[in-house]
Amino acid sequence: MHWLRSLIFNLGFYGWTALMVLAGVFLLPFPWRSMHGIGRLWALGTMALLRVIVGLDWRIEGAENIAAGPTIYASKHQSTWDTLIFALLLRDPAYVLKRELLWIPLFGQLLARSRPIGVNRSAGAAALRAMLADADRAVAAGRPIVIFPEGTRTAPGERRPFHPGIAALYQRLGLPVVPIALDSGRFWGRRRFVKQPGTITIAFLPAIAPGLPRKAFMAELEERIEAHSRALVSGSSTARPAAKFVPPSWSGLN
């Protein structure tokens, strides 16, 4: 039954994605923020498909830790789901992502139009400088920044070293960093066709204030994210439903 539900979901998901790409093409001449409207609609539709077909919902913990102004959000990364949810929780987020995603026909063009922070991981110091320049522009536009410090999806319970890009952003921008733990990989695993019913928890943890030394910051960030992610996987964390959640960062913005 899970396999059949997953098949139906995947057909619906790719059809919905194709429809959103088509809509995005028509919006290319419009201001770049229109792409974020498409992104939110895409995420909403996908979450509805997951809920109705798969029986997979989500809930939020620590909503009070979502800031109203520019902030860096450093998230655990276990699933494709993680790349969608921030379009619903944050206003016009600037994702730090690998540049290769921008080469996907049509989809990559629309993604580039949303002004992400693309990283050429083979360019070394030049890639870091370009990332910081893009981050400066995002902050100047009042946008939050979303980064996955591990750089790739990991299975629940798996732990990988955090890349230095998050420390560079922290030191350059002088912004608080909100660690984010989640357990999405339990239900929508990396390269897994079958999606499991249940409830994903995404937890926004208290922000790390700017000013820490680089080494201390990295240790604190990694420990908070990993410890809380383990708690979510083990079922020892509590959370409240997200259905009534209104992101504070949307208020007062055009």
Side-chain angles (χ1 to χ4, degrees):
M1 180 61 72
H2 290 338
W3 188 93
L4 179 58
R5 287 178 178 268
S6 297
L7 174 63
I8 296 171
F9 165 76
N10 278 311
L11 292 174
F13 173 68
Y14 287 115
W16 176 243
T17 299
L19 183 62
M20 291 296 96
V21 168
L22 182 62
V25 169
F26 284 104
L27 290 177
L28 279 174
F30 291 87
W32 63 270
R33 288 186 188 273
S34 63
M35 289 300 140
H36 290 274
I38 288 292
R40 286 193 293 273
L41 185 57
W42 182 40
L44 280 169
T46 301
M47 297 303 166
L49 290 171
L50 284 170
R51 184 168 54 251
V52 173
I53 298 172
V54 178
L56 178 57
D57 209 341
W58 61 279
R59 59 187 182 180
I60 192 169
E61 181 182 336
E64 67 276 7
N65 295 317
I66 298 178
T71 303
I72 303 168
Y73 294 89
S75 178
K76 186 72 175 175
H77 193 17
Q78 296 181 350
S79 170
T80 300
W81 184 90
D82 316 338
T83 64
L84 297 169
I85 191 62
F86 295 105
L88 300 182
L89 300 182
L90 306 174
R91 177 66 182 266
D92 298 341
Y95 285 86
V96 178
L97 47 79
K98 59 184 180 181
R99 192 181 61 172
E100 291 83 352
L101 292 174
L102 305 179
W103 299 342
I104 300 172
L106 285 183
F107 180 85
Q109 185 180 4
L110 301 180
L111 188 59
R113 182 67 174 141
S114 71
R115 298 187 180 178
I117 301 173
V119 178
N120 181 359
R121 294 186 290 187
S122 64
L128 184 60
R129 289 193 297 269
M131 180 189 76
L132 293 176
D134 284 346
D136 285 340
R137 285 189 284 270
V139 171
R143 302 172 65 193
I145 293 173
V146 175
I147 184 171
F148 301 104
E150 292 167 297
T152 189
R153 289 169 292 174
T154 59
E158 184 179 347
R159 187 168 181 164
R160 297 193 182 203
F162 282 21
H163 289 225
I166 178 61
L169 288 172
Y170 174 74
Q171 294 183 319
R172 169 66 167 261
L173 301 176
L175 293 174
V177 174
V178 174
I180 298 171
L182 43 76
D183 62 353
S184 56
R186 297 169 58 199
F187 309 95
W188 184 344
R190 181 185 184 187
R191 297 173 182 169
R192 290 184 183 176
F193 176 80
V194 175
K195 280 72 176 173
Q196 301 293 335
T199 303
I200 294 170
T201 298
I202 180 168
F204 289 79
L205 308 178
I208 300 174
L212 287 179
R214 182 188 185 99
K215 187 174 181 180
F217 163 71
M218 290 293 282
E220 179 71 11
L221 178 68
E222 188 167 354
E223 177 56 29
R224 288 198 198 183
I225 291 177
E226 295 297 340
H228 205 89
S229 293
R230 288 194 301 270
L232 292 176
V233 170
S234 67
S236 60
S237 176
T238 59
R240 60 184 177 85
K244 298 180 181 179
F245 172 64
V246 177
S249 57
W250 289 31
S251 61
L253 295 176
N254 295 327

